[in-house]
Amino acid sequence: MRIYVGNLNYSVTSEELRAMFEPFGTVEWAEVQTKMRTGRSRGFGLVDMPDDDQARSAIDALDGKDIDGRALSVNESRPRRSVRDLYAGGWSASARR
């Protein structure tokens, strides 16, 4: 299961993010998302845990937990939306013709 972790302190590293989840089970991958141009944290990260039960335990334990003065927002990650998704069912250039 891919897990979204929001409201991270900008000083949290990918290694620290992994360490937050390891007490709950196997972590395949953990990464704090960064801005391409500056390399600075975007304030959120993603974690992959192969066992759904372990992932749900981690979500239940860490959602709302205060880490470095910030209450984490932890939940199952939703698929990334594209610009096309934003306009699905709405106005499009081809509809004007």
Side-chain angles (χ1 to χ4, degrees), residues 15-88:
E15 293 78 24
E16 292 170 327
L17 179 61
R18 174 183 285 275
M20 283 182 219
F21 284 81
E22 284 180 332
F24 303 98
T26 304
V27 176
E28 284 187 340
W29 177 81
E31 185 175 285
V32 171
Q33 302 297 297
T34 57
K35 295 179 182 178
M36 288 184 96
R37 290 192 321 153
T38 64
R40 295 186 62 176
S41 171
R42 294 176 66 195
F44 73 95
L46 298 169
V47 177
D48 276 345
M49 296 182 77
D51 184 297
D52 286 356
D53 291 333
Q54 292 175 354
R56 284 187 187 86
S57 293
I59 290 169
D60 291 343
L62 296 173
D63 187 38
K65 184 172 181 165
D66 188 285
I67 303 287
D68 294 334
R70 301 185 81 156
L72 297 182
S73 173
V74 184
N75 51 56
E76 186 173 351
S77 180
R78 291 179 231 120
R80 187 173 181 176
R81 290 176 47 177
S82 69
V83 172
R84 177 180 223 145
D85 294 336
L86 295 174
Y87 295 103

